[in-house]
Amino acid sequence: MQTLRTDTTMSADSLRPASREDNRPVAIDIRDLSLTFRTADAPVTALSNVDLQIRAGEFVSLIGPSGCGKTTLMRVMADLARPTSGHITVNGLSPEQARLARAYGYVFQAPALYPWRSVRRNLMLPLEIMGVPASEREARAARYLEMVGLKDFANKFPWQLSGGMQQRVSIARALSFEPKLLLMDEPFGALDEITRDHLNEQLLRLWEQTQKTVIFVTHSIPEAVFLSSRIVVMSPRPGRILEVIDCNLPPDRTLDVRETPEFLTIAHRVRVALRAGHSYDD
Amino acid sequence: MKGGVLAVAAALAGAAGSLVLLADALTPGSVPLAFWALVLGVTALSWIGLERLAGVDRPRWIGGLVVPGLFGLLLLYLWQVLTVGFDVPAVLLPSPARIGHQLAANAGLLWQDFRQTFLKSVLAGFTLGSGLGFLVAVLVDRSPFLQRGLLPLGALVSAIPIVGIAPIMVMWFGFDWQSKAAVIVVMTFFPMLVNTLAGLGSASEIERDLMHSYAAGYGQTLLKLRLPSALPFIFNALKINSTLALIGGIVAEFFGTPVVGMGFRISVEIGRMNVDVVWATIAVAALAGSIFYGILALVERGFTFWHPSYRQEQS
Ligand SMILES: Nc1ncnc2c1ncn2[C@@H]1O[C@H](COP(=O)(O)OP(=O)(O)OP(=O)(O)O)[C@@H](O)[C@H]1O
Ligand SMILES: [Mg+2]
């Protein structure tokens, strides 16, 4: 297992072109970061010595087994959790300063819609808080609901929608205030294959057009390979970064790219890295 | 549905017939067995009819209004035929007809009592007590120390019987309705405080994280998240308080009052063995209490339609 992984990594590394746009500013800089939860019984080490630099405009996927600390890492970036040790900056600021500057939109693993607000008003919640004028709020809500294919459901309440529809509303909500940085925690996990494909393409187009920085948690290897410019493979607890895999498929790719040999090679590398991580468990 | 309506109609006809018989043809106390058979038949028929109607769910007012209304009528009917049929002494339990008669005959007096007790003491005390409980909860919410200190105090005050505080409030605020309202304020303050505090803490972690991620301020989080999610708790307290306020207002009048008010009326008329008037007052109190509670429940439904307990009713 170990040798296979190393082999594949080596060969793919040698094939990879030298990174072109290294002059872009660093959006997220994580150095030697660890996080231990103090629980009633034993302390749980969720993240261990994580090092990761993400440049502005990158699309980075985090992939790894359940419970390996993907959500925790994302929460640290969002200032929803404090690291135990190590350093992190977001847009050159501390996570707290970045949060106060409303630097990111966070799509939580669960939809987190407020049941007393209609779908439309859920979308407008961040805009209300950030003081966007009422007419602009309406326009944004309409635009992003249309984008996730839910414009006919604007006046429904979240609990009248299916789980996948709720998750799409929460994606639209995070897009609505147009943050430069998107943190997405398994946004498409609850969706059927067709909807997922459709939203994958849309997200890719959005990313290409807006040059947002996207950090994206997923359990799906094809999804990660299709969307990402880099894939971060994490190990089971304590969460460490096993491998960072570059994945520069052509920018204007469509879903058909999934049948190409380049795609399959990268997907294979991710799978091998994941399997190698799993072997620590046994 | 059709069978249910038929059964209920037949039961109503039977009931009307038996009531006429009881009033005109029979001597109270020595009613023939055939009459009780008729009563039994009416009861069985209404039971079957109501059972069927309760299963109807299309026009919602059938299950929500007609069935409970008819069931109430059935109870009144049984009360009437049993008290008259067995000639129960009115001092023990007057028949509904007698109580109704007293209601009509003493309408002016009962209205004055109602105004004194309900419109003055109860409404003032309820509003003030619940309002203060709510405000204090919102203020105290930011201070864990005050929360820890106030909650045991709340339990303590709730344990004090009204018999204890009512005379003291009379000494502080005089004989009129103000002292009764003060008793009600004491009784309703803590249920609202405790419920609102629980409600303000009821938003889930992820709902709070969302606000946090928007860098929402304290006031924004309060208005857009914590108060809405506290609404079911607040309405719960309002409903509890509506009952407490009515009890408090009536019982407090036992301890000194001007010569008007529902509690005063009950304590005076029972002393004169004037039980019919006592029952008439009880009827007014029960009606007022139910309507008060019902209005609160309706308003609650309007505000918390999104809560899981009401959702299925939304179309
Ligand atoms: N608040 C907490 N208190 C204690 N332990 C926690 C807490 N949150 C997470 N953990 C632990 O930290 C570890 C990582 O959790 P995390 O939610 O980051 O996993 P994940 O990679 O997002 O998993 P999944 O793919 O299932 O969402 C888990 O073992 C979990 O038990
Ligand atoms: Mg997770």
Side-chain angles (χ1 to χ4, degrees):
Chain A
M1 197 59 82
Q2 196 72 24
T3 35
L4 176 61
R5 192 195 92 205
T6 317
D7 282 353
T8 325
T9 312
M10 296 291 284
S11 59
D13 267 336
S14 52
L15 288 177
R16 183 179 32 155
S19 293
R20 302 147 298 173
E21 296 165 277
D22 274 350
N23 52 350
R24 292 176 302 184
V26 174
I28 293 193
D29 191 1
I30 299 173
R31 308 229 173 228
D32 200 24
L33 184 132
S34 299
L35 191 153
T36 305
F37 287 108
R38 302 245 157 267
T39 56
D41 35 322
V44 177
T45 303
L47 297 171
S48 165
N49 307 95
V50 173
D51 272 294
L52 185 62
Q53 283 73 45
I54 297 170
R55 292 190 175 269
E58 274 197 283
F59 195 123
V60 173
S61 287
L62 306 179
I63 196 164
S66 178
C68 73
K70 305 181 293 294
T71 299
T72 306
L73 182 56
M74 201 102 115
R75 288 175 62 85
V76 169
M77 299 176 194
D79 188 37
L80 298 172
R82 291 274 154 88
T84 318
S85 65
H87 294 280
I88 170 166
T89 61
V90 177
N91 293 342
L93 306 168
S94 74
E96 183 178 15
Q97 290 167 324
R99 177 177 62 81
L100 293 176
R102 284 144 183 176
Y104 65 84
Y106 198 118
V107 179
F108 290 87
Q109 202 164 353
L113 302 170
Y114 291 175
W116 52 87
R117 285 181 166 245
S118 67
V119 164
R120 192 173 55 87
R121 294 194 58 241
N122 261 293
L123 237 82
M124 299 196 301
L125 176 71
L127 306 173
E128 284 169 25
I129 289 172
M130 297 173 192
V132 175
S135 57
E136 176 67 12
R137 293 204 292 260
E138 296 283 352
R140 298 261 194 103
R143 186 185 327 149
Y144 287 101
L145 269 183
E146 164 116 52
M147 180 169 199
V148 296
L150 289 174
K151 71 170 189 295
D152 294 340
F153 294 85
N155 293 316
K156 294 273 186 218
F157 285 87
W159 32 273
Q160 297 170 317
L161 268 52
S162 73
M165 290 157 99
Q166 293 178 21
Q167 193 59 21
R168 282 188 274 160
V169 176
S170 91
I171 295 166
R173 183 182 56 191
L175 295 174
S176 71
F177 59 100
E178 302 180 342
K180 280 269 183 347
L181 171 61
L182 267 181
L183 305 176
M184 307 177 87
D185 196 349
E186 290 186 50
F188 305 143
L191 299 179
D192 65 278
E193 194 80 23
I194 308 278
T195 313
R196 190 177 183 139
D197 282 354
H198 179 69
L199 288 176
N200 272 342
E201 274 194 314
Q202 267 183 319
L203 180 60
L204 190 64
R205 297 289 97 84
L206 180 89
W207 172 66
E208 286 166 355
Q209 282 158 20
T210 59
Q211 287 302 306
K212 286 182 197 300
T213 314
V214 183
I215 304 179
F216 188 92
V217 172
T218 180
H219 280 150
S220 157
I221 296 173
E223 184 170 80
V225 178
F226 176 68
L227 289 170
S228 315
S229 49
R230 275 197 300 162
I231 300 173
V232 174
V233 181
M234 292 178 68
S235 74
R237 265 191 299 153
R240 280 164 299 116
I241 293 181
L242 283 177
E243 204 168 334
V244 178
I245 297 170
D246 270 336
C247 134
N248 289 315
L249 293 169
D252 55 348
R253 58 192 174 271
T254 61
L255 289 165
D256 296 332
V257 83
R258 292 185 299 196
E259 266 92 75
T260 61
E262 292 87 345
F263 184 96
L264 295 174
T265 312
I266 300 170
H268 179 71
R269 286 185 61 195
V270 176
R271 190 168 295 112
V272 168
L274 272 173
R275 215 181 287 146
H278 263 296
S279 68
Y280 287 92
D281 246 0
D282 306 329
Chain B
M1 162 108 192
K2 206 169 170 192
V5 172
L6 276 177
V8 167
L12 281 175
S18 64
L19 286 176
V20 169
L21 269 178
L22 195 61
D24 296 344
L26 302 169
T27 2
S30 57
V31 175
L33 260 178
F35 178 79
W36 292 121
L38 177 60
V39 171
L40 210 65
V42 167
T43 311
L45 259 180
S46 352
W47 202 271
I48 294 168
L50 288 180
E51 195 108 283
R52 294 233 176 142
L53 287 186
V56 174
D57 44 26
R58 217 170 319 138
R60 281 223 317 263
W61 50 269
I62 288 193
L65 285 176
V66 173
V67 173
L70 285 174
F71 185 69
L73 270 185
L74 175 66
L75 290 185
L76 280 179
Y77 166 75
L78 289 176
W79 180 356
Q80 177 73 23
V81 292
L82 289 174
T83 45
V84 176
F86 288 115
D87 202 18
V88 177
V91 225
L92 288 186
L93 182 65
S95 70
R98 262 187 94 124
I99 297 173
H101 186 74
Q102 286 293 338
L103 272 174
N106 297 306
L109 192 70
L110 291 172
W111 166 250
Q112 283 185 351
D113 290 346
F114 175 76
R115 207 174 52 187
Q116 170 75 15
T117 304
F118 195 88
L119 297 186
K120 290 183 184 165
S121 327
V122 170
L123 284 190
F126 171 84
T127 312
L128 211 62
S130 304
L132 280 176
F134 175 78
L135 282 181
V136 172
V138 171
L139 294 177
V140 156
D141 170 68
R142 291 188 92 164
S143 149
F145 147 68
L146 278 178
Q147 274 192 50
R148 298 246 169 81
L150 267 175
L151 290 183
L153 188 67
L156 201 73
V157 171
S158 311
I160 299 176
I162 353 172
V163 257
I165 46 172
I168 292 170
M169 291 303 160
V170 170
M171 281 169 57
W172 287 1
F173 297 103
F175 275 102
D176 210 348
W177 61 269
Q178 290 85 348
S179 59
K180 317 305 172 266
V183 170
I184 297 173
V185 168
V186 173
M187 289 176 74
T188 54
F189 175 79
F190 281 101
M192 182 52 96
L193 175 74
V194 171
N195 271 283
T196 307
L197 278 178
L200 287 174
S202 71
S204 68
E205 188 148 1
I206 195 168
E207 287 173 330
R208 288 162 200 267
D209 281 347
L210 186 73
M211 279 296 180
H212 197 64
S213 81
Y214 298 148
Y218 171 81
Q220 287 173 320
T221 309
L222 187 69
L223 273 182
K224 291 182 195 296
L225 171 61
R226 300 178 64 217
L227 282 178
S229 56
L231 277 178
F233 292 77
I234 292 170
F235 274 104
N236 205 20
L238 286 177
K239 290 195 291 188
I240 293 170
N241 280 352
S242 74
T243 318
L244 284 178
L246 195 59
I247 297 173
I250 291 175
V251 174
E253 287 178 6
F254 294 177
F255 302 89
T257 172
V259 291
V260 63
M262 293 155 89
F264 167 79
R265 192 68 53 212
I266 290 173
S267 64
V268 165
E269 299 295 336
I270 198 83
R272 294 187 189 145
M273 294 300 268
N274 225 346
V275 186
D276 294 357
V277 179
V278 173
W279 279 97
T281 304
I282 290 174
V284 172
L287 202 66
S290 316
I291 292 175
F292 193 16
Y293 189 96
I295 290 175
L296 285 173
L298 272 180
V299 176
E300 173 185 32
R301 209 164 278 208
F303 275 99
T304 62
F305 63 91
W306 47 269
H307 195 256
S309 52
Y310 292 126
R311 272 177 203 175
Q312 53 273 41
E313 297 177 20
Q314 276 262 315
S315 49

